[in-house]
Amino acid sequence: MPTVIDKSTVIEIIKEISKKMQNVDKVLKESNATLGKKNISEIIGKIAEGTFADILTEKLGYLVKSAQNDKESDLFLTKTGEKLEIKMTSTDNSWQGGEFSTRPYDYFLISWGGNFNEFFVARTTLSDKEWHSNIANRRYGTTYPAKDLYNKKDKIIYIGHLELTSRGSVKIKREKIN
């Protein structure tokens, strides 16, 4: 049975990530540094790993480790041995992973937007078979579409929601956190 992480804890984590990212954004603007959304997603992902680890360690009462390299899971719960992954996106329709780096773990699927104050956060278990390969389309990386999450029964949505459009697609709808 996976460790229960309640909504108030996830909201606390996301608020802290938001605050840290607004500080990063300020420094980038002061430095006239322009980064693409992929680069920003990597930065926010690393900040998320550390923030999740710190706050979960405090809330769960035992050490939660964040990854020290790409071979390790993003989060490791030392008491239970659980491994958690965090996937970030700035899009409203899917998450991306490396073609050979998808892991069969519990995932926090996060979409960010606005001034780092709008988020969607869900948790679900994904197998490597649930990630869609793009090699046939001559693109590296796998995709996990929002529609698959929408149709999945085993999920927890902490912040935001998934919306079925009139055309049958599913959009990730972020929620402002203040």
Side-chain angles (χ1 to χ4, degrees):
M1 182 65 112
T3 297
V4 173
I5 300 171
D6 64 32
K7 183 175 181 168
S8 64
T9 298
V10 171
I11 290 171
E12 180 180 340
I13 291 166
I14 295 300
K15 283 182 176 181
E16 186 64 22
I17 292 167
S18 173
K19 186 170 81 176
K20 290 175 180 178
M21 281 306 299
Q22 287 172 3
N23 289 334
V24 167
D25 191 47
K26 182 180 175 195
V27 170
L28 290 171
K29 286 177 179 166
E30 288 170 356
S31 304
N32 286 328
T34 305
L35 298 178
K37 290 190 175 192
K38 181 180 179 198
N39 295 120
I40 293 171
S41 280
E42 288 194 24
I43 292 168
I44 196 172
K46 283 310 212 182
I47 288 172
E49 288 174 21
T51 305
F52 266 88
D54 291 346
I55 293 175
L56 289 178
T57 292
E58 175 191 325
K59 297 289 182 180
L60 297 175
Y62 59 87
L63 182 62
V64 175
K65 293 182 180 179
S66 61
Q68 300 303 303
N69 59 56
D70 282 345
K71 288 187 258 182
E72 296 178 357
S73 59
D74 293 338
L75 299 170
F76 178 71
L77 283 64
T78 59
K79 183 176 179 180
T80 64
E82 289 172 80
K83 297 174 180 181
L84 301 169
E85 288 290 309
I86 299 170
K87 284 294 179 192
M88 288 286 171
T89 190
S90 62
T91 73
D92 66 356
N93 60 6
S94 66
W95 290 267
Q96 301 260 315
E99 190 67 38
F100 305 106
S101 66
T102 54
R103 298 176 169 120
Y105 299 145
D106 262 20
Y107 281 79
F108 279 99
L109 300 170
I110 303 172
S111 177
W112 60 272
N115 185 30
F116 304 105
N117 64 346
E118 297 174 7
F119 289 88
F120 170 90
V121 181
R123 181 179 176 187
T124 191
T125 303
L126 296 175
S127 71
D128 56 350
K129 292 176 180 73
E130 291 178 273
W131 289 89
H132 300 247
S133 176
N134 293 303
I135 290 287
N137 299 329
R138 306 187 106 198
R139 285 185 46 227
Y140 176 79
T142 56
T143 304
Y144 185 71
K147 189 167 191 169
D148 288 5
L149 183 62
Y150 178 84
N151 291 324
K152 192 172 179 86
K153 290 184 183 359
D154 180 26
K155 66 179 176 278
I156 301 168
I157 296 177
Y158 296 99
I159 301 171
H161 65 279
L162 298 168
E163 183 177 283
L164 184 63
T165 71
S166 59
R167 297 181 125 178
S169 64
V170 174
K171 297 291 179 196
I172 299 165
K173 294 297 184 178
R174 300 179 198 111
E175 185 178 316
K176 271 198 175 203
I177 56 143
N178 295 330

